[in-house]
Amino acid sequence: MGLMNNIDKQYQALLQDILDNGVKKQDRTGTGTLSVFGRQIRHKMSDGFPLLTTKKMYFKGIVTELLWFLRGDTNIKYLVDNNCHIWDGDAYKNYCKSFEPTDSPYDFRIKGLFGGPLTQQEFINKIKTDDEFAKTWGELGPIYGKQWRQWEYQYGDEYSGGHHLPTLKKQIDQIQNLINDLKTNPDSRRLMVNAWNVGELDQMVLPPCHYGFQVYTRELNNQERYHLFRIQDEDINPYKTINDTPTRAISLMWNQRSVDTFLGLPFNIASYGLLLEIIAKEVNMIPDELIGNLGDVHLYSNHIEQAKEQITRTPFELPILAIINDPKLKFDELTLDNFALIKYQAHPAIKAPLSN
């Protein structure tokens, strides 16, 4: 029996919703959008891994970006070195800003003494080959990875006993704290990770679109545990006895303020599905439900025809994800080789321009 695919159908319905009910809005990229507000998608992970089949998805890129977040990395060099180019445009746009003239009489760029910027391809090649250049221009500011793993805050009295004291900084590892809390207090209502650090938004090349997520766990009943034990697959459920089966299920809900529905959302769905799988494995729980709360849900004006094409396609069965790893590896030590996508069948990719 094949795995049920409701996620493609929900996604196609969302595309149709935007086409039918979207209002025209301008946006920061200058492209223009059709937009609706406040939508939700839900997916049972037992139905299969939520990677869309109505167009072929670049799964390796999805894995690479998520591992980059989990490493706490904010420099595109790791992505570029692993052939993931979804952040190239943001880094290149930030680099090009340094060539824009200012009102300062000392800004020699006005006189063209330093020449113009590299092309985007030249820029990416230099990121690959020049570590110093990459260190400066590959940096995207305190985006997702920084906030997930090194949320920074200042503490200490500014003035005490007639003396000014230095301001001290402390970092919070939200992901590790989440893992610890899941192991010690799985019924907590505070199992959250937030990327929307108001004090650092102006330092980011792009404020987070998906700005936070929450997880929720519940106890599995005996019937559910027995069913897990009966499904014997060395990659998926390698349980030797009924006592080896997990006792809890875990769900994840993410919140997203801005949704590029054609290019971004399919990526986001699979990425948070993958994060749920990774966290579940780390804390020995079963992935349960994936939920996305979506704010400004839009189609760019140059994605309309592509969306209409995707709506006409009949979904295939969903694939299965296997995480094959050495138990000694931590969640932030995983590599592409630790993930296998089984039985992924999809319609051909549909090309569409990315708006930065």
Side-chain angles (χ1 to χ4, degrees), residues 241-253:
T241 70
I242 189 70
N243 291 329
D244 292 330
T245 61
T247 60
R248 281 187 174 263
I250 180 170
S251 296
L252 184 149
M253 178 172 70

Side-chain angles (χ1 to χ4, degrees), residues 148-159:
W148 284 13
R149 304 303 309 274
Q150 300 129 25
W151 178 292
E152 205 166 81
Y153 72 97
Q154 297 180 344
Y155 71 103
D157 296 327
E158 291 186 1
Y159 191 80

Side-chain angles (χ1 to χ4, degrees), residues 21-53:
N21 304 306
V23 296
K24 289 185 177 179
K25 294 188 71 174
Q26 291 305 308
D27 68 289
R28 66 177 177 84
T29 72
T31 309
T33 67
L34 276 180
S35 169
V36 296
F37 184 65
R39 300 295 189 267
Q40 187 181 76
I41 56 168
R42 306 181 78 101
H43 172 70
K44 291 290 289 183
M45 296 296 287
S46 57
D47 288 343
F49 186 72
L51 191 66
L52 294 190
T53 68

